[in-house]
Amino acid sequence: MKLHWSPRSPFVRKVMIVLNETGQIDQVECVRSAVAMATEPNPDVLADNPLGKIPTLVLEDGTALFDSRVICAYLAERAGMFQPVSAAERFRQLRWEALGDGLTDILLLWRIERTREEKADPVICAAFETKVRATVARLDAEVDPLSQTPLGLGQIAIFCALGQLEFRWPGTGWREAFPRLAEWFAGLEMRPSFARTAVVDDAPASVPPVASQPAAFTFGG
């Protein structure tokens, strides 16, 4: 199989964690595929995925799977893992996956809006901030079930969303504001499949590192 991949993508990270957790990582060729909303679509990705997005997984028969939710579900079923035994457990994982992916989407779109600098819409940015604060607070309120439920695709999506918050939005102080959620996150962070898929900023040297940018907001403020 071939995976259009980037070390900076939180959605790719979801797939990489599942590949590692299910023992399928050696069955996939990872192809570095740069994509960005504000640039021309990558023709190599576009050839496999008309949406021009990553991750895209190309199977042995040439079938291309996208997006990350579909890819992770396919890999989980292929390995016979992360398969909830009841409808209630399945919908719990689907709901968590929607929360995680939704938070990641908001963080990505908000970051794009902020790159417009003085042209960034303050109403849109304020709405994004409100949603991020509300989502992280909701996740903190669900720490007990997140911790007590066997690892599934939902927890993986939430972990990757919080990882994106930490990577692209340094200085928000979310760990200090939500210590129980931070403890849950730190526990998964030490799990081998999560640790070896840590996001890496491989931007050109001419681009300032993410950590050097001022915090857009803080959870304490």
Side-chain angles (χ1 to χ4, degrees):
M1 296 182 286
K2 177 180 73 174
L3 178 68
H4 287 289
W5 165 93
S6 165
R8 290 182 282 175
S9 167
F11 291 117
V12 167
R13 188 181 190 186
K14 281 177 58 187
V15 174
M16 296 299 290
I17 288 172
V18 173
L19 282 169
N20 278 279
E21 284 284 335
T22 60
Q24 299 179 81
I25 189 65
D26 293 335
Q27 301 173 39
V28 174
E29 174 194 5
C30 293
V31 178
R32 178 66 172 94
S33 302
V35 298
M37 187 175 292
T39 63
E40 287 292 320
N42 183 321
D44 294 329
V45 176
L46 206 61
D48 291 322
N49 180 353
L51 300 174
K53 300 172 71 175
I54 59 172
T56 295
L57 181 68
V58 183
L59 307 183
E60 295 93 332
D61 65 359
T63 302
L65 298 182
F66 40 83
D67 57 9
S68 67
R69 205 174 309 192
V70 174
I71 296 171
C72 289
Y74 170 80
L75 294 172
E77 185 167 332
R78 188 171 187 260
M81 295 176 62
F82 302 129
Q83 305 292 301
V85 297
S86 71
E89 292 170 343
R90 180 163 59 91
F91 280 105
R92 171 180 281 184
Q93 289 293 341
L94 287 172
R95 176 180 171 277
W96 281 340
E97 194 169 6
L99 270 175
D101 287 351
L103 176 56
T104 299
D105 277 332
I106 290 170
L107 292 170
L108 292 171
L109 292 171
W110 187 10
R111 183 170 178 271
I112 290 170
E113 182 65 22
R114 290 187 71 238
T115 62
R116 300 175 64 226
E117 298 179 344
E118 70 277 359
K119 294 182 180 179
D121 189 315
V123 175
I124 291 175
C125 289
F128 283 150
E129 180 176 342
T130 297
K131 293 174 183 179
V132 169
R133 289 182 182 277
T135 304
V136 177
R138 176 64 61 88
L139 294 175
D140 184 65
E142 298 189 21
V143 165
D144 287 342
L146 282 169
S147 303
Q148 295 163 7
T149 303
L151 181 66
L153 301 182
Q155 289 110 319
I156 292 172
I158 289 170
F159 175 90
C160 290
L162 293 173
Q164 177 71 2
L165 175 62
E166 198 153 82
F167 172 58
R168 288 296 189 190
W169 301 82
T172 64
W174 78 267
R175 293 205 195 207
E176 292 75 20
F178 302 100
R180 295 180 69 244
L181 183 62
E183 182 180 4
W184 172 81
F185 180 86
L188 281 182
E189 207 171 22
M190 294 186 292
R191 194 176 176 109
S193 62
F194 289 71
R196 69 170 61 104
T197 58
V199 176
V200 176
D201 189 1
D202 66 343
S206 58
V207 178
V210 173
S212 68
Q213 301 171 12
F217 75 104
T218 64
F219 282 96

